[in-house]
Amino acid sequence: MLVHIPELLTAEEVSLCRQRLDAADWVDGRGTAGEQAAKAKHNLQVPEGSATARDLGGIVLQALGRNPMFTSATMPLRVYPPMFNRYDVGMTFNTHVDNAIRSVPGGGRLRTDVSSTLFLTPPEDYDGGELVIEDTYGAQPVKLPAGDMVVYPGTSLHRVNPVTRGSRWASFFWTQSMIEDDRKRRLLFEMDMSIIQMRMIVADDHASVLGLTTCYHNLMRMWCNL
């Protein structure tokens, strides 16, 4: 399930992130990749644990907390601290799948049920650099406005096409979901969106809204893994 989340960050937050990233130290991105992914990866990253990564990661986490679509699409249990990458001209990340388990800085592990990419560069500022995700509908190229985010299953093969002009900056991270199965998450997300649409047409206490909402929460009780 691919979900486009528009305007996760405000224009002011995007501007602040770009100012901080412009002054950041960038390192070889292969340092945070698994053995298979490192062979396919050619980009730059802000070091994990740096002041820039912590501060900007906090901005992203606050934005996630106020965004109901992110909650509905991912059913988050734990979120990996957001990371930040950069693709200059000629840089790319060939087709790969993300590691199933990530060691969380500070201790513990996280299962990467859902992958997220938050775009920080306006699409007109660079050529190439599309995130291409392979899902049940084929290869889906994604190139979004700055501040917009896409979430997709961590099980998906994906790549970043080579940048041919400009520089593409983004934040990326993973979510361990309360709902492990992507098919079940999709059903709950679609049901939640239908409930929201129905509430715009009829009263919240209408029998159809109450019935769907009851089904939604009872399915969550059956499927949640806490």
Side-chain angles (χ1 to χ4, degrees):
M1 177 178 68
L2 275 68
V3 178
H4 171 199
I5 300 178
E7 298 179 346
L8 180 80
L9 297 186
T10 66
E12 292 75 16
E13 288 170 331
V14 171
S15 178
L16 174 59
C17 287
R18 289 189 56 82
Q19 290 176 21
R20 290 291 303 274
L21 291 174
D22 191 48
D25 294 322
W26 296 87
V27 298
D28 191 330
R30 288 175 292 185
T32 58
E35 181 179 357
Q36 177 265 336
K39 298 175 183 177
K41 189 175 188 180
H42 179 37
N43 67 3
L44 300 173
Q45 287 180 195
V46 174
E48 285 189 276
S50 67
T52 299
R54 290 196 304 270
D55 293 347
L56 299 188
I59 292 173
V60 174
L61 290 174
Q62 286 183 348
L64 298 178
R66 67 177 183 243
N67 192 284
M69 184 173 286
F70 173 77
T71 300
S72 181
T74 67
M75 299 289 179
L77 178 62
R78 302 177 69 197
V79 178
Y80 193 89
M83 302 165 68
F84 298 85
N85 62 17
R86 170 177 179 164
Y87 292 82
D88 293 335
V89 172
M91 293 185 179
T92 186
F93 200 161
N94 294 328
T95 302
H96 65 285
V97 67
D98 293 333
N99 286 356
I101 304 295
R102 300 283 304 195
S103 295
V104 179
R109 293 187 176 92
L110 176 147
R111 188 183 61 242
T112 59
D113 297 321
V114 183
S115 300
S116 298
T117 296
L118 169 61
F119 290 77
L120 297 174
T121 305
E124 62 271 16
D125 284 3
Y126 64 100
D127 293 332
E130 298 87 358
L131 171 64
V132 182
I133 304 163
E134 298 183 17
D135 71 357
T136 54
Y137 299 99
Q140 306 292 314
V142 181
K143 188 173 183 178
L144 300 178
D148 285 20
M149 186 171 75
V150 63
V151 301
Y152 56 97
T155 54
S156 300
L157 287 170
H158 56 282
R159 68 180 185 271
V160 176
N161 285 340
V163 170
T164 59
R165 178 186 65 88
S167 184
R168 171 203 190 268
W169 299 358
S171 177
F172 65 103
F173 55 91
W174 300 274
T175 301
Q176 180 170 332
S177 177
M178 294 183 288
I179 309 295
E180 295 181 39
D181 191 314
D182 179 59
R183 297 168 300 174
K184 294 176 181 177
R185 282 199 306 275
R186 180 194 295 267
L187 286 172
L188 286 172
F189 176 70
E190 291 174 349
M191 184 177 289
D192 193 26
M193 294 300 101
S194 295
I195 292 170
I196 291 172
Q197 292 174 1
M198 188 171 291
R199 282 175 171 163
M200 298 172 65
I201 301 172
V202 300
D204 284 355
D205 60 354
H206 191 277
S208 58
V209 174
L210 291 174
L212 275 176
T213 303
T214 299
C215 287
Y216 175 84
H217 286 285
N218 285 337
L219 286 172
M220 283 193 65
R221 288 187 180 93
M222 290 173 58
W223 294 341
C224 272
N225 181 14
L226 300 178

